[in-house]
Amino acid sequence: MKVGVLLKQVPASDTIIKINPDKTGILTADVKWEINPYDEFALEAAIQLKDAGKATAVVVLTVGGADAEARVRDALNRGATEAIRVDDPALAGSDALGKARALAAAAKAAGVELLLAGKQAIDTDSAAVPGIVAELLGWPQVSVVTGLTVDGGKITAERNAGGGYIEVVSTTVPAVITCDKGLNTPRFASLKGIMAAKKIAIVAKSAADLGLSAGQVGAAGALVEESGFELPPPRPSGKIIQGATPEAKVKELVRLLREEAKVI
Amino acid sequence: MSSGILVFCETDGGKLKKSAHELLSKAATLGGPVSAVVIGGSVDGAEAGRYGASTVYTVNGDAFGAYSTDAWVKALAAVIGKASPSVVLGAASPVGKDLFPRLGARIGAGAVTEVTELSNVGGQVVARRPVYAGKALATVKVKSSVALFTVRPNSFPVNATGGGAASVVAVDAGVSAADLKTQVVEVRKSAQATVDLTEADRIVSGGRSVKSAEGYDSVIRPLAAALRATPGASRAAVDAGYAPHSHQVGQTGKVVNPTLYIAVGISGAIQHLAGMRTSKVIVSINKDPDAPIFQHSSYGIVDDLFTVCPALQKEFEAVVG
Ligand SMILES: Cc1cc2nc3c(=O)[nH]c(=O)nc-3n(C[C@H](O)[C@H](O)[C@H](O)COP(=O)(O)OP(=O)(O)OC[C@H]3O[C@@H](n4cnc5c(N)ncnc54)[C@H](O)[C@@H]3O)c2cc1C
């Protein structure tokens, strides 16, 4: 069974965000890029399936320019065995649907049967692409999982269902699973892994290679349009509470929470 | 022609959840008739009517036990087909987050998730949403004839507009057990079951400085309990094993939006701020007067958490009813 991993590069989590002049996005010149942290859990889960002899190949699938190659290479160094990077000027301005169309087509072309993804990407924070990919492929989805076992074609996943409940969900391949923190601890690349990955080429594919027409992807195919990027308004400056003793400070805090902020 | 707003309401024991009250209250201000839909649960038309809905659609049947993507997508698509709204709202809850993107792909509608503002701009409902973990905000417009939005809990105030009871209309979505490609085989209460952090109205979070799981359990949990708050944690506290993963607040944890957030012994790293910066009132307790968290706090106490927290707990026990 081939396992696919949806991988996105995102600005490192400590990036100080600056908005571009036409407010359509952020300035990327000084940004340090990383693999989306949730995708690292998906990648690790896939590599563990390969190590356990349950996956025959781990295929990294990404939509991105040549600048995304370093992140894909990192994934290969850690143990992925193939990589497809969908890159086409026609994809510029794609929304989640357009990217999902490209990724679903790439997964199909690669012969993937189980697709793992992060539960969300920490740039757009949309958590939209995996569910759309699952719909396009007609596969079941299990989202936000913190436990995963694959046995033959049978999948058992644990997911946080909210309200303090954990659900154990069973399904079968082919399927799309999104991964949360707690699923595993992602590995770093080993020297052996880096040497082995040297022989693996990252395959670039265009929209046409994947049978996608211009109207299906890019700005033309987008149903969702973003604009008006802004930094959040700064918080009004707060008060440091003075008092002779911890008890006195606490009393004053509680008074302020009741009388000034009116939140208790 | 599609028009009006359909609100996907989650229920708990036959009552609408607070998130549903928020969404219905907001929908009533956006123009056009408001209807509601409840899937796999019972609903009181009078309750929905009080918050402004004129019709409540319900979908039930054998396939609607535990939540499943397949049954809910098919059911909601059927109700949208019947009600033909121009806007569908749901909560950015575990259910709403799983459901809406796939629903959008099913019906050819754009889905926007985790929005925090909605407004009617010249007849079109437009959203604002945080991006880059709240380090920026963006305006989002949907071009399809139906627009789907999930809204972060606690974004909108609740207003009972005082309308009469909504009429309840049962819809047969033609969903059967054969549609379900996933099965819930077990549901367990997680070790420390509490209100979901993302829906919590008050949160008390502890950082690395609680020093141990015992420290977390003896300082943070009782303080949270005294305030009727949900306990949270920094990543440093989670990674050290003081609190479970489900408690982590921040860029790679939960993004929370409470009325009151108390950060205990948390430095205020950019990734932590990303998860809690929209809290209405932020209180921090830290012994370092230069800790960055103070720059983002409404109130700060510079002192040792191990003396401040027990005293604060006592005060909360006395005043929080
Ligand atoms: C990819 C990535 C993702 C991340 N995601 C998250 C995330 O989701 N959430 C998150 O929280 N972090 C996240 N981090 C980690 C983040 O950078 C910080 O390391 C973390 O938030 C620090 O936790 P802390 O404030 O508990 O600990 P520290 O930074 O060590 O701060 C401890 C604080 O406690 C104070 N203190 C110590 N003793 C006492 C005492 N007795 N009384 C009062 N105050 C005391 C100190 O003055 C200090 O300010 C992420 C990092 C990366 C790289």
Side-chain angles (χ1 to χ4, degrees), chain A residues 13-14 34 37 122, chain B residues 206-211 233-237 248-254 264-273 285-288 291-293 303-306:
Chain A
S13 64
D14 58 359
E34 284 179 353
I122 65 163
Chain B
R208 189 199 311 272
S209 51
V210 302
K211 286 199 184 120
S234 74
R235 172 165 151 179
Q248 183 177 319
V249 171
Q251 188 148 21
T252 50
K254 302 270 164 32
V264 178
I266 291 177
S267 60
I270 190 165
Q271 297 96 343
H272 189 82
L273 294 170
I285 299 164
N286 198 303
K287 67 178 183 190
D288 174 6
I293 190 80
D303 217 319
D304 189 323
L305 74 93
F306 291 101

mmCIF file of all heavy atoms in Angstrom, chain A residues 13-14 34 37 122, chain B residues 206-211 233-237 248-254 264-273 285-288 291-293 303-306, ligand 1:
data_model
loop_
_atom_site.group_PDB
_atom_site.id
_atom_site.type_symbol
_atom_site.label_atom_id
_atom_site.label_comp_id
_atom_site.label_asym_id
_atom_site.label_seq_id
_atom_site.Cartn_x
_atom_site.Cartn_y
_atom_site.Cartn_z
ATOM 1 N N SER A 13 6.905 29.228 13.086
ATOM 2 C CA SER A 13 5.868 29.688 14.020
ATOM 3 C C SER A 13 6.258 30.958 14.768
ATOM 4 O O SER A 13 5.406 31.655 15.286
ATOM 5 C CB SER A 13 5.538 28.582 15.014
ATOM 6 O OG SER A 13 6.672 28.289 15.800
ATOM 7 N N ASP A 14 7.556 31.285 14.810
ATOM 8 C CA ASP A 14 7.949 32.518 15.512
ATOM 9 C C ASP A 14 8.114 33.716 14.562
ATOM 10 O O ASP A 14 8.650 34.749 14.945
ATOM 11 C CB ASP A 14 9.225 32.298 16.332
ATOM 12 C CG ASP A 14 10.391 31.831 15.477
ATOM 13 O OD1 ASP A 14 10.211 31.653 14.243
ATOM 14 O OD2 ASP A 14 11.489 31.638 16.029
ATOM 15 N N GLU A 34 9.197 26.470 7.114
ATOM 16 C CA GLU A 34 9.298 25.164 7.764
ATOM 17 C C GLU A 34 8.190 24.265 7.239
ATOM 18 O O GLU A 34 7.205 24.757 6.695
ATOM 19 C CB GLU A 34 9.108 25.318 9.282
ATOM 20 C CG GLU A 34 10.328 25.881 9.969
ATOM 21 C CD GLU A 34 10.134 26.052 11.473
ATOM 22 O OE1 GLU A 34 9.012 25.853 11.967
ATOM 23 O OE2 GLU A 34 11.136 26.388 12.121
ATOM 24 N N PRO A 37 3.887 22.225 11.117
ATOM 25 C CA PRO A 37 4.113 21.286 12.227
ATOM 26 C C PRO A 37 3.140 20.105 12.243
ATOM 27 O O PRO A 37 3.533 18.990 12.585
ATOM 28 C CB PRO A 37 3.932 22.139 13.482
ATOM 29 C CG PRO A 37 3.991 23.557 13.049
ATOM 30 C CD PRO A 37 3.787 23.619 11.566
ATOM 31 N N ILE A 122 -0.589 26.070 9.688
ATOM 32 C CA ILE A 122 -0.570 27.185 10.631
ATOM 33 C C ILE A 122 -0.397 28.542 9.939
ATOM 34 O O ILE A 122 -0.118 29.529 10.588
ATOM 35 C CB ILE A 122 0.479 26.988 11.733
ATOM 36 C CG1 ILE A 122 1.904 26.989 11.154
ATOM 37 C CG2 ILE A 122 0.224 25.711 12.521
ATOM 38 C CD1 ILE A 122 2.976 27.208 12.205
ATOM 39 N N GLY B 206 -1.466 27.088 32.964
ATOM 40 C CA GLY B 206 -0.196 27.028 33.690
ATOM 41 C C GLY B 206 0.961 26.758 32.749
ATOM 42 O O GLY B 206 0.787 26.098 31.727
ATOM 43 N N GLY B 207 2.134 27.264 33.098
ATOM 44 C CA GLY B 207 3.319 27.092 32.269
ATOM 45 C C GLY B 207 4.342 26.163 32.893
ATOM 46 O O GLY B 207 4.076 25.492 33.896
ATOM 47 N N ARG B 208 5.505 26.163 32.291
ATOM 48 C CA ARG B 208 6.626 25.344 32.728
ATOM 49 C C ARG B 208 6.895 25.514 34.232
ATOM 50 O O ARG B 208 7.295 24.583 34.921
ATOM 51 C CB ARG B 208 7.871 25.784 31.943
ATOM 52 C CG ARG B 208 9.081 24.906 32.102
ATOM 53 C CD ARG B 208 10.378 25.633 31.690
ATOM 54 N NE ARG B 208 10.337 26.297 30.401
ATOM 55 C CZ ARG B 208 10.628 25.728 29.235
ATOM 56 N NH1 ARG B 208 10.998 24.482 29.193
ATOM 57 N NH2 ARG B 208 10.558 26.422 28.110
ATOM 58 N N SER B 209 6.664 26.752 34.698
ATOM 59 C CA SER B 209 7.019 27.104 36.068
ATOM 60 C C SER B 209 6.187 26.388 37.131
ATOM 61 O O SER B 209 6.508 26.487 38.302
ATOM 62 C CB SER B 209 6.853 28.611 36.235
ATOM 63 O OG SER B 209 5.561 28.947 35.764
ATOM 64 N N VAL B 210 5.124 25.663 36.773
ATOM 65 C CA VAL B 210 4.418 24.881 37.801
ATOM 66 C C VAL B 210 5.284 23.693 38.230
ATOM 67 O O VAL B 210 4.987 23.033 39.219
ATOM 68 C CB VAL B 210 3.008 24.395 37.365
ATOM 69 C CG1 VAL B 210 2.130 25.577 36.984
ATOM 70 C CG2 VAL B 210 3.078 23.378 36.250
ATOM 71 N N LYS B 211 6.308 23.412 37.471
ATOM 72 C CA LYS B 211 7.417 22.504 37.840
ATOM 73 C C LYS B 211 7.138 21.008 37.788
ATOM 74 O O LYS B 211 8.071 20.217 37.715
ATOM 75 C CB LYS B 211 7.944 22.832 39.248
ATOM 76 C CG LYS B 211 8.764 24.117 39.280
ATOM 77 C CD LYS B 211 9.624 24.104 40.544
ATOM 78 C CE LYS B 211 10.407 25.369 40.734
ATOM 79 N NZ LYS B 211 10.066 26.035 41.997
ATOM 80 N N ALA B 233 -2.755 25.039 29.288
ATOM 81 C CA ALA B 233 -1.321 24.928 29.570
ATOM 82 C C ALA B 233 -0.510 25.486 28.412
ATOM 83 O O ALA B 233 -1.000 25.584 27.290
ATOM 84 C CB ALA B 233 -0.942 23.473 29.800
ATOM 85 N N SER B 234 0.728 25.853 28.698
ATOM 86 C CA SER B 234 1.665 26.206 27.628
ATOM 87 C C SER B 234 2.238 24.924 27.048
ATOM 88 O O SER B 234 2.127 23.850 27.641
ATOM 89 C CB SER B 234 2.797 27.075 28.171
ATOM 90 O OG SER B 234 3.678 26.264 28.940
ATOM 91 N N ARG B 235 2.872 25.044 25.902
ATOM 92 C CA ARG B 235 3.508 23.855 25.318
ATOM 93 C C ARG B 235 4.616 23.324 26.209
ATOM 94 O O ARG B 235 4.801 22.112 26.317
ATOM 95 C CB ARG B 235 4.067 24.189 23.933
ATOM 96 C CG ARG B 235 4.903 23.066 23.380
ATOM 97 C CD ARG B 235 5.163 23.223 21.912
ATOM 98 N NE ARG B 235 6.433 22.613 21.570
ATOM 99 C CZ ARG B 235 6.920 22.576 20.357
ATOM 100 N NH1 ARG B 235 6.261 23.124 19.354
ATOM 101 N NH2 ARG B 235 8.072 22.009 20.113
ATOM 102 N N ALA B 236 5.343 24.237 26.858
ATOM 103 C CA ALA B 236 6.434 23.776 27.718
ATOM 104 C C ALA B 236 5.881 22.882 28.823
ATOM 105 O O ALA B 236 6.480 21.856 29.164
ATOM 106 C CB ALA B 236 7.186 24.967 28.300
ATOM 107 N N ALA B 237 4.717 23.244 29.389
ATOM 108 C CA ALA B 237 4.111 22.430 30.444
ATOM 109 C C ALA B 237 3.619 21.098 29.882
ATOM 110 O O ALA B 237 3.730 20.056 30.533
ATOM 111 C CB ALA B 237 2.967 23.197 31.095
ATOM 112 N N GLN B 248 -3.178 22.059 25.630
ATOM 113 C CA GLN B 248 -2.226 23.067 25.113
ATOM 114 C C GLN B 248 -2.938 24.210 24.389
ATOM 115 O O GLN B 248 -3.753 23.993 23.496
ATOM 116 C CB GLN B 248 -1.226 22.416 24.176
ATOM 117 C CG GLN B 248 -0.165 23.412 23.669
ATOM 118 C CD GLN B 248 0.872 22.739 22.799
ATOM 119 O OE1 GLN B 248 1.307 21.633 23.105
ATOM 120 N NE2 GLN B 248 1.263 23.384 21.721
ATOM 121 N N VAL B 249 -2.579 25.416 24.778
ATOM 122 C CA VAL B 249 -3.084 26.624 24.130
ATOM 123 C C VAL B 249 -1.961 27.202 23.285
ATOM 124 O O VAL B 249 -0.819 27.281 23.750
ATOM 125 C CB VAL B 249 -3.531 27.658 25.185
ATOM 126 C CG1 VAL B 249 -3.857 29.000 24.540
ATOM 127 C CG2 VAL B 249 -4.725 27.132 25.975
ATOM 128 N N GLY B 250 -2.258 27.594 22.054
ATOM 129 C CA GLY B 250 -1.227 28.233 21.242
ATOM 130 C C GLY B 250 -1.304 27.815 19.802
ATOM 131 O O GLY B 250 -2.253 27.160 19.368
ATOM 132 N N GLN B 251 -0.269 28.200 19.083
ATOM 133 C CA GLN B 251 -0.248 28.001 17.644
ATOM 134 C C GLN B 251 -0.371 26.533 17.269
ATOM 135 O O GLN B 251 -1.017 26.202 16.291
ATOM 136 C CB GLN B 251 1.059 28.565 17.079
ATOM 137 C CG GLN B 251 1.087 28.578 15.582
ATOM 138 C CD GLN B 251 1.894 29.729 15.056
ATOM 139 O OE1 GLN B 251 2.732 30.290 15.765
ATOM 140 N NE2 GLN B 251 1.669 30.081 13.824
ATOM 141 N N THR B 252 0.249 25.651 18.040
ATOM 142 C CA THR B 252 0.108 24.222 17.753
ATOM 143 C C THR B 252 -0.732 23.542 18.823
ATOM 144 O O THR B 252 -0.617 22.340 19.038
ATOM 145 C CB THR B 252 1.481 23.539 17.606
ATOM 146 O OG1 THR B 252 2.294 23.894 18.727
ATOM 147 C CG2 THR B 252 2.176 23.981 16.343
ATOM 148 N N GLY B 253 -1.571 24.325 19.492
ATOM 149 C CA GLY B 253 -2.533 23.764 20.434
ATOM 150 C C GLY B 253 -3.893 24.322 20.086
ATOM 151 O O GLY B 253 -4.211 24.511 18.926
ATOM 152 N N LYS B 254 -4.682 24.614 21.111
ATOM 153 C CA LYS B 254 -6.009 25.159 20.868
ATOM 154 C C LYS B 254 -5.930 26.677 20.715
ATOM 155 O O LYS B 254 -5.188 27.340 21.430
ATOM 156 C CB LYS B 254 -6.930 24.822 22.050
ATOM 157 C CG LYS B 254 -7.057 23.327 22.313
ATOM 158 C CD LYS B 254 -8.199 22.753 21.536
ATOM 159 C CE LYS B 254 -8.221 21.249 21.388
ATOM 160 N NZ LYS B 254 -7.694 20.414 22.419
ATOM 161 N N VAL B 264 -0.676 31.714 34.125
ATOM 162 C CA VAL B 264 0.087 31.558 35.362
ATOM 163 C C VAL B 264 1.481 31.031 35.036
ATOM 164 O O VAL B 264 1.618 29.921 34.519
ATOM 165 C CB VAL B 264 -0.628 30.571 36.320
ATOM 166 C CG1 VAL B 264 0.192 30.377 37.593
ATOM 167 C CG2 VAL B 264 -2.025 31.053 36.650
ATOM 168 N N GLY B 265 2.511 31.842 35.302
ATOM 169 C CA GLY B 265 3.881 31.388 35.072
ATOM 170 C C GLY B 265 4.134 31.041 33.619
ATOM 171 O O GLY B 265 4.777 30.039 33.312
ATOM 172 N N ILE B 266 3.599 31.869 32.728
ATOM 173 C CA ILE B 266 3.782 31.682 31.279
ATOM 174 C C ILE B 266 4.491 32.924 30.750
ATOM 175 O O ILE B 266 4.076 34.049 31.056
ATOM 176 C CB ILE B 266 2.418 31.459 30.586
ATOM 177 C CG1 ILE B 266 1.871 30.079 31.006
ATOM 178 C CG2 ILE B 266 2.529 31.586 29.074
ATOM 179 C CD1 ILE B 266 0.500 29.757 30.451
ATOM 180 N N SER B 267 5.555 32.731 29.974
ATOM 181 C CA SER B 267 6.393 33.876 29.588
ATOM 182 C C SER B 267 5.730 34.748 28.521
ATOM 183 O O SER B 267 5.975 35.945 28.458
ATOM 184 C CB SER B 267 7.756 33.388 29.095
ATOM 185 O OG SER B 267 7.598 32.534 27.976
ATOM 186 N N GLY B 268 4.912 34.143 27.656
ATOM 187 C CA GLY B 268 4.274 34.920 26.598
ATOM 188 C C GLY B 268 5.005 34.806 25.271
ATOM 189 O O GLY B 268 5.125 35.778 24.529
ATOM 190 N N ALA B 269 5.480 33.603 24.953
ATOM 191 C CA ALA B 269 6.122 33.353 23.651
ATOM 192 C C ALA B 269 5.105 33.607 22.538
ATOM 193 O O ALA B 269 3.899 33.433 22.736
ATOM 194 C CB ALA B 269 6.608 31.902 23.580
ATOM 195 N N ILE B 270 5.612 34.009 21.381
ATOM 196 C CA ILE B 270 4.743 34.377 20.259
ATOM 197 C C ILE B 270 3.767 33.239 19.920
ATOM 198 O O ILE B 270 2.607 33.480 19.616
ATOM 199 C CB ILE B 270 5.609 34.812 19.043
ATOM 200 C CG1 ILE B 270 4.753 35.433 17.951
ATOM 201 C CG2 ILE B 270 6.451 33.685 18.491
ATOM 202 C CD1 ILE B 270 5.580 36.206 16.921
ATOM 203 N N GLN B 271 4.230 31.973 20.057
ATOM 204 C CA GLN B 271 3.341 30.858 19.720
ATOM 205 C C GLN B 271 2.234 30.684 20.753
ATOM 206 O O GLN B 271 1.163 30.173 20.452
ATOM 207 C CB GLN B 271 4.126 29.539 19.599
ATOM 208 C CG GLN B 271 5.154 29.525 18.500
ATOM 209 C CD GLN B 271 6.542 29.880 18.990
ATOM 210 O OE1 GLN B 271 6.715 30.434 20.070
ATOM 211 N NE2 GLN B 271 7.547 29.570 18.188
ATOM 212 N N HIS B 272 2.502 31.053 21.995
ATOM 213 C CA HIS B 272 1.440 30.970 23.009
ATOM 214 C C HIS B 272 0.437 32.110 22.809
ATOM 215 O O HIS B 272 -0.780 31.886 22.816
ATOM 216 C CB HIS B 272 2.016 31.011 24.429
ATOM 217 C CG HIS B 272 0.975 30.704 25.476
ATOM 218 N ND1 HIS B 272 0.604 29.424 25.797
ATOM 219 C CD2 HIS B 272 0.188 31.515 26.215
ATOM 220 C CE1 HIS B 272 -0.371 29.458 26.698
ATOM 221 N NE2 HIS B 272 -0.639 30.726 26.984
ATOM 222 N N LEU B 273 0.970 33.313 22.586
ATOM 223 C CA LEU B 273 0.099 34.477 22.357
ATOM 224 C C LEU B 273 -0.855 34.221 21.197
ATOM 225 O O LEU B 273 -2.012 34.632 21.219
ATOM 226 C CB LEU B 273 0.944 35.716 22.056
ATOM 227 C CG LEU B 273 1.809 36.219 23.217
ATOM 228 C CD1 LEU B 273 2.776 37.282 22.719
ATOM 229 C CD2 LEU B 273 0.935 36.765 24.337
ATOM 230 N N ILE B 285 0.187 36.231 35.799
ATOM 231 C CA ILE B 285 0.879 36.126 37.081
ATOM 232 C C ILE B 285 2.259 35.586 36.756
ATOM 233 O O ILE B 285 2.388 34.489 36.212
ATOM 234 C CB ILE B 285 0.126 35.156 38.021
ATOM 235 C CG1 ILE B 285 -1.288 35.695 38.291
ATOM 236 C CG2 ILE B 285 0.904 34.958 39.331
ATOM 237 C CD1 ILE B 285 -2.239 34.664 38.880
ATOM 238 N N ASN B 286 3.278 36.400 37.051
ATOM 239 C CA ASN B 286 4.640 36.005 36.676
ATOM 240 C C ASN B 286 5.604 36.725 37.596
ATOM 241 O O ASN B 286 5.402 37.899 37.922
ATOM 242 C CB ASN B 286 4.905 36.392 35.213
ATOM 243 C CG ASN B 286 6.095 35.650 34.632
ATOM 244 O OD1 ASN B 286 7.203 35.735 35.172
ATOM 245 N ND2 ASN B 286 5.865 34.925 33.560
ATOM 246 N N LYS B 287 6.669 36.041 38.016
ATOM 247 C CA LYS B 287 7.575 36.702 38.966
ATOM 248 C C LYS B 287 8.559 37.627 38.257
ATOM 249 O O LYS B 287 9.229 38.417 38.914
ATOM 250 C CB LYS B 287 8.283 35.665 39.836
ATOM 251 C CG LYS B 287 9.252 34.774 39.118
ATOM 252 C CD LYS B 287 9.923 33.833 40.112
ATOM 253 C CE LYS B 287 10.944 32.980 39.394
ATOM 254 N NZ LYS B 287 11.454 31.889 40.230
ATOM 255 N N ASP B 288 8.629 37.526 36.926
ATOM 256 C CA ASP B 288 9.566 38.369 36.174
ATOM 257 C C ASP B 288 8.819 39.593 35.620
ATOM 258 O O ASP B 288 7.984 39.451 34.728
ATOM 259 C CB ASP B 288 10.157 37.540 35.029
ATOM 260 C CG ASP B 288 11.031 38.370 34.105
ATOM 261 O OD1 ASP B 288 11.275 39.562 34.415
ATOM 262 O OD2 ASP B 288 11.448 37.826 33.066
ATOM 263 N N ALA B 291 8.601 39.899 31.818
ATOM 264 C CA ALA B 291 8.044 38.817 30.983
ATOM 265 C C ALA B 291 7.163 39.439 29.888
ATOM 266 O O ALA B 291 6.339 40.298 30.174
ATOM 267 C CB ALA B 291 7.229 37.854 31.842
ATOM 268 N N PRO B 292 7.350 39.000 28.629
ATOM 269 C CA PRO B 292 6.586 39.593 27.516
ATOM 270 C C PRO B 292 5.065 39.489 27.688
ATOM 271 O O PRO B 292 4.329 40.315 27.160
ATOM 272 C CB PRO B 292 7.034 38.785 26.293
ATOM 273 C CG PRO B 292 8.233 38.013 26.699
ATOM 274 C CD PRO B 292 8.320 37.995 28.188
ATOM 275 N N ILE B 293 4.605 38.514 28.430
ATOM 276 C CA ILE B 293 3.151 38.326 28.600
ATOM 277 C C ILE B 293 2.497 39.589 29.161
ATOM 278 O O ILE B 293 1.351 39.893 28.832
ATOM 279 C CB ILE B 293 2.856 37.100 29.519
ATOM 280 C CG1 ILE B 293 1.372 36.721 29.512
ATOM 281 C CG2 ILE B 293 3.301 37.329 30.953
ATOM 282 C CD1 ILE B 293 0.917 35.930 28.350
ATOM 283 N N ASP B 303 4.710 38.415 40.979
ATOM 284 C CA ASP B 303 4.940 37.715 42.254
ATOM 285 C C ASP B 303 5.091 36.222 41.979
ATOM 286 O O ASP B 303 4.932 35.780 40.844
ATOM 287 C CB ASP B 303 3.766 37.961 43.217
ATOM 288 C CG ASP B 303 4.250 38.106 44.663
ATOM 289 O OD1 ASP B 303 5.143 37.330 45.052
ATOM 290 O OD2 ASP B 303 3.730 38.991 45.364
ATOM 291 N N ASP B 304 5.353 35.486 43.054
ATOM 292 C CA ASP B 304 5.524 34.041 42.930
ATOM 293 C C ASP B 304 4.154 33.365 42.806
ATOM 294 O O ASP B 304 3.282 33.566 43.645
ATOM 295 C CB ASP B 304 6.270 33.518 44.169
ATOM 296 C CG ASP B 304 6.679 32.063 44.008
ATOM 297 O OD1 ASP B 304 5.907 31.274 43.409
ATOM 298 O OD2 ASP B 304 7.782 31.720 44.454
ATOM 299 N N LEU B 305 4.014 32.560 41.760
ATOM 300 C CA LEU B 305 2.717 31.926 41.525
ATOM 301 C C LEU B 305 2.308 31.024 42.678
ATOM 302 O O LEU B 305 1.117 30.849 42.932
ATOM 303 C CB LEU B 305 2.742 31.153 40.196
ATOM 304 C CG LEU B 305 3.503 29.827 40.123
ATOM 305 C CD1 LEU B 305 2.594 28.630 40.413
ATOM 306 C CD2 LEU B 305 4.104 29.669 38.743
ATOM 307 N N PHE B 306 3.300 30.437 43.361
ATOM 308 C CA PHE B 306 2.943 29.472 44.418
ATOM 309 C C PHE B 306 2.351 30.155 45.650
ATOM 310 O O PHE B 306 1.722 29.502 46.462
ATOM 311 C CB PHE B 306 4.164 28.617 44.795
ATOM 312 C CG PHE B 306 4.556 27.681 43.678
ATOM 313 C CD1 PHE B 306 5.633 27.988 42.845
ATOM 314 C CD2 PHE B 306 3.832 26.522 43.433
ATOM 315 C CE1 PHE B 306 5.986 27.139 41.802
ATOM 316 C CE2 PHE B 306 4.187 25.666 42.388
ATOM 317 C CZ PHE B 306 5.264 25.979 41.563
HETATM 318 C C1 LIG C 1 6.732 25.132 16.059
HETATM 319 C C2 LIG C 1 6.489 25.618 17.467
HETATM 320 C C3 LIG C 1 5.192 25.613 17.940
HETATM 321 C C4 LIG C 1 4.913 26.026 19.248
HETATM 322 N N1 LIG C 1 3.615 26.007 19.680
HETATM 323 C C5 LIG C 1 3.338 26.416 20.936
HETATM 324 C C6 LIG C 1 1.994 26.406 21.422
HETATM 325 O O1 LIG C 1 1.058 26.005 20.732
HETATM 326 N N2 LIG C 1 1.769 26.837 22.686
HETATM 327 C C7 LIG C 1 2.773 27.274 23.521
HETATM 328 O O2 LIG C 1 2.476 27.641 24.666
HETATM 329 N N3 LIG C 1 4.047 27.276 23.090
HETATM 330 C C8 LIG C 1 4.356 26.849 21.825
HETATM 331 N N4 LIG C 1 5.665 26.821 21.424
HETATM 332 C C9 LIG C 1 6.715 27.029 22.441
HETATM 333 C C10 LIG C 1 6.985 28.468 22.797
HETATM 334 O O3 LIG C 1 7.970 28.972 21.912
HETATM 335 C C11 LIG C 1 7.539 28.563 24.259
HETATM 336 O O4 LIG C 1 8.673 27.753 24.370
HETATM 337 C C12 LIG C 1 6.528 28.130 25.325
HETATM 338 O O5 LIG C 1 5.293 28.777 25.133
HETATM 339 C C13 LIG C 1 7.084 28.493 26.698
HETATM 340 O O6 LIG C 1 6.239 28.013 27.711
HETATM 341 P P1 LIG C 1 6.224 28.693 29.143
HETATM 342 O O7 LIG C 1 5.807 30.113 29.033
HETATM 343 O O8 LIG C 1 5.439 27.809 30.045
HETATM 344 O O9 LIG C 1 7.739 28.537 29.622
HETATM 345 P P2 LIG C 1 8.899 29.612 29.725
HETATM 346 O O10 LIG C 1 9.071 30.389 28.499
HETATM 347 O O11 LIG C 1 10.046 28.874 30.284
HETATM 348 O O12 LIG C 1 8.356 30.634 30.812
HETATM 349 C C14 LIG C 1 8.187 30.345 32.156
HETATM 350 C C15 LIG C 1 7.742 31.637 32.831
HETATM 351 O O13 LIG C 1 7.413 31.370 34.185
HETATM 352 C C16 LIG C 1 7.910 32.406 34.996
HETATM 353 N N5 LIG C 1 8.103 31.813 36.328
HETATM 354 C C17 LIG C 1 9.019 30.873 36.703
HETATM 355 N N6 LIG C 1 8.839 30.541 38.003
HETATM 356 C C18 LIG C 1 7.800 31.285 38.457
HETATM 357 C C19 LIG C 1 7.136 31.391 39.716
HETATM 358 N N7 LIG C 1 7.505 30.646 40.773
HETATM 359 N N8 LIG C 1 6.113 32.259 39.835
HETATM 360 C C20 LIG C 1 5.716 33.025 38.778
HETATM 361 N N9 LIG C 1 6.303 32.954 37.553
HETATM 362 C C21 LIG C 1 7.326 32.091 37.410
HETATM 363 C C22 LIG C 1 9.165 32.868 34.326
HETATM 364 O O14 LIG C 1 9.444 34.206 34.696
HETATM 365 C C23 LIG C 1 8.818 32.714 32.844
HETATM 366 O O15 LIG C 1 8.241 33.912 32.353
HETATM 367 C C24 LIG C 1 5.960 26.444 20.104
HETATM 368 C C25 LIG C 1 7.262 26.466 19.621
HETATM 369 C C26 LIG C 1 7.543 26.069 18.324
HETATM 370 C C27 LIG C 1 8.949 26.115 17.831
#
